Amino acid sequence: MKNSLTSTATKEIGKLLNWFLLLLILSNFSFSQESNSIEYRTINSYLDDFAKNELFVKKSLMEYSSSIIENQLETRAKSTSTMVIEKLKAINTNLQINDKGFEKNTLLRDSFIRMNKKTIECMTNGTLIMNDYISQSLNNVSTINQNLKERELNLISYFEELKRHEKIKKKFGIMNNIKFRTYSGNNIFEYNAFENILFYKINVIDEKINASINNIDANDFSESIVALKNIYQESNLKTDEYKSNFSDTSLNNATISYSNFIYNQKMKIIILFNAFSNENIILQKLKSQPNQENEVYITQYNSAVKSYNIKKNTLFDALEIIKKNKKIMYDNWFVVNRTFLKNNAKFDDIYQSYTYNN
């Protein structure tokens, strides 16, 4: 009967490799200088090359994010990330060899290289890959909680590095009488990332609850429900904080709706699972008893099997309905996410949006 509750993530995993996962974007990314380094005569000519690289990534990132890859298996995602890591390493090597900076000032170059290294680190430790619901569900709840905490801390650290790069750009600009056009207000990708991680956490715990039901593991189920309650409270607090970040609240609202759905439906399952789990305990005890050939035992066993099947079917029928409704909301969240990014993450002409003369 475990097959009655197929993992939602088995069919749906990978619909989100996240807004910030550079993946195929960076496979086309290259520093525009030739194999021999160029001695730039003006700061504008240097920044013209640099801007094409950095803003190409940003612009492509938005376009990639708005067309989220679907039906991407976790194994394929890992394979792709490995390829991108190697590409990023090659990019950094190329920058170190060919980009000699402007008048030997490599501050901007070095900052960009560090940012790439941070991306490599976060792809290696899983921070930028948030579709591993099934892999996470194989862990115990305590390990899952710790993994989710570490992933969020790594994500925060990643954005701190991106912010540090923006500060370095400003410093480099002051040195060369150039002003960079930087983000004003909230960073759309940072906002999107933290909406994504809430969505990810909810799905990981939901998958863990499903696994505990399939395994008829009452202890795992109870711990998973506690974890869901905690994440639900966290989601409520953070989405309340996020609601004023952008005038477009569609993504925040979608996260709230999805969180409410998962929480409310799983709360309804508690009674059904406990009834099923108790019947399973009774049945297993009967199966372990000696003297199973007498009429009294046979009557008790048949009654227990009948009750077990009723409780089991009631539970899994309810879960099947939840699964179908969840898929509708799950898919809708991605539609909202794509539309939100498309409507809010926009870049102007590459070079003109990068700097202006002081």
Side-chain angles (χ1 to χ4, degrees), residues 287-343:
K287 287 182 177 180
S288 66
Q289 287 183 10
N291 304 319
Q292 298 181 6
E293 302 301 324
N294 63 75
E295 186 175 341
V296 173
Y297 174 85
I298 293 174
T299 300
Q300 289 179 332
Y301 180 80
N302 288 338
S303 177
V305 169
K306 181 179 180 180
S307 182
Y308 171 88
N309 286 332
I310 290 173
K311 298 294 193 302
K312 176 192 65 181
N313 291 336
T314 301
L315 170 63
F316 283 95
D317 286 348
L319 287 168
E320 188 64 26
I321 294 172
I322 291 172
K323 176 184 173 183
K324 290 178 181 178
N325 291 332
K326 175 189 172 181
K327 186 177 189 309
I328 294 172
M329 297 199 69
Y330 186 91
D331 292 344
N332 179 69
W333 190 92
F334 286 103
V335 172
V336 173
N337 191 38
R338 284 196 299 269
T339 304
F340 176 83
L341 286 167
K342 181 179 180 180
N343 292 339

Side-chain angles (χ1 to χ4, degrees), residues 275-289 300-301 303-305 307-308:
F276 169 59
S277 179
N278 290 336
E279 288 297 336
N280 180 63
I281 292 172
I282 293 171
L283 184 59
Q284 297 308 316
K285 285 183 178 179
L286 281 172
K287 287 182 177 180
S288 66
Q289 287 183 10
Q300 289 179 332
Y301 180 80
S303 177
V305 169
S307 182
Y308 171 88

Side-chain angles (χ1 to χ4, degrees), residues 2 65 81 84 87 90 95 100 110 123 144 160 163 177 186 199-200 226 238 269 292 294 303 316 320 323 340:
K2 293 181 180 180
S65 301
S81 67
V84 175
K87 183 65 178 178
L95 287 171
K100 302 303 181 181
D110 295 342
M123 292 184 74
I144 289 174
E160 287 302 317
K163 291 173 184 176
N177 199 33
N186 294 307
F199 183 75
Y200 171 72
V226 172
K238 290 185 175 178
I269 291 300
Q292 298 181 6
N294 63 75
S303 177
F316 283 95
E320 188 64 26
K323 176 184 173 183
F340 176 83

Side-chain angles (χ1 to χ4, degrees), residues 3 41 44 51 59 102 147 161 198 207 247 277 279 294:
N3 291 332
R41 298 181 63 182
N44 284 340
K59 193 168 184 178
F102 178 68
N147 288 346
E161 181 62 33
L198 287 177
E207 187 61 35
S247 57
S277 179
E279 288 297 336
N294 63 75

Side-chain angles (χ1 to χ4, degrees), residues 51-109:
K52 290 174 183 177
N53 289 285
E54 182 178 321
L55 292 190
F56 172 77
V57 172
K58 291 179 180 178
K59 193 168 184 178
S60 299
L61 181 59
M62 184 274 288
E63 295 170 353
Y64 175 77
S65 301
S66 65
S67 58
I68 298 164
I69 293 177
E70 296 186 355
N71 299 323
Q72 184 82 6
L73 296 176
E74 184 180 343
T75 52
R76 190 182 301 173
K78 289 181 179 179
S79 175
T80 305
S81 67
T82 300
M83 176 191 70
V84 175
I85 287 170
E86 294 305 313
K87 183 65 178 178
L88 280 171
K89 290 178 179 178
I91 289 169
N92 279 357
T93 299
N94 193 25
L95 287 171
Q96 288 170 330
I97 294 173
N98 296 321
D99 181 2
K100 302 303 181 181
F102 178 68
E103 296 180 347
K104 298 184 179 180
N105 184 341
T106 61
L107 186 66
L108 191 60
R109 181 207 69 175

Side-chain angles (χ1 to χ4, degrees), residues 155-201:
L155 188 61
I156 292 171
S157 176
Y158 181 73
F159 278 101
E160 287 302 317
E161 181 62 33
L162 300 188
K163 291 173 184 176
R164 190 197 62 79
H165 177 62
E166 292 297 316
K167 292 179 180 178
I168 292 295
K169 282 166 55 177
K170 182 178 180 180
K171 181 178 179 180
F172 182 85
I174 292 173
M175 293 177 178
N176 294 280
N177 199 33
I178 288 288
K179 286 187 178 181
F180 287 89
R181 295 187 187 275
T182 56
Y183 291 115
S184 60
N186 294 307
N187 185 323
I188 186 70
F189 294 120
E190 183 175 6
Y191 171 85
N192 186 257
F194 287 104
E195 290 280 1
N196 271 265
I197 201 166
L198 287 177
F199 183 75
Y200 171 72
K201 288 180 178 181

Side-chain angles (χ1 to χ4, degrees), residues 6 44 102 134 263:
T6 57
N44 284 340
F102 178 68
I134 293 178
Y263 179 77

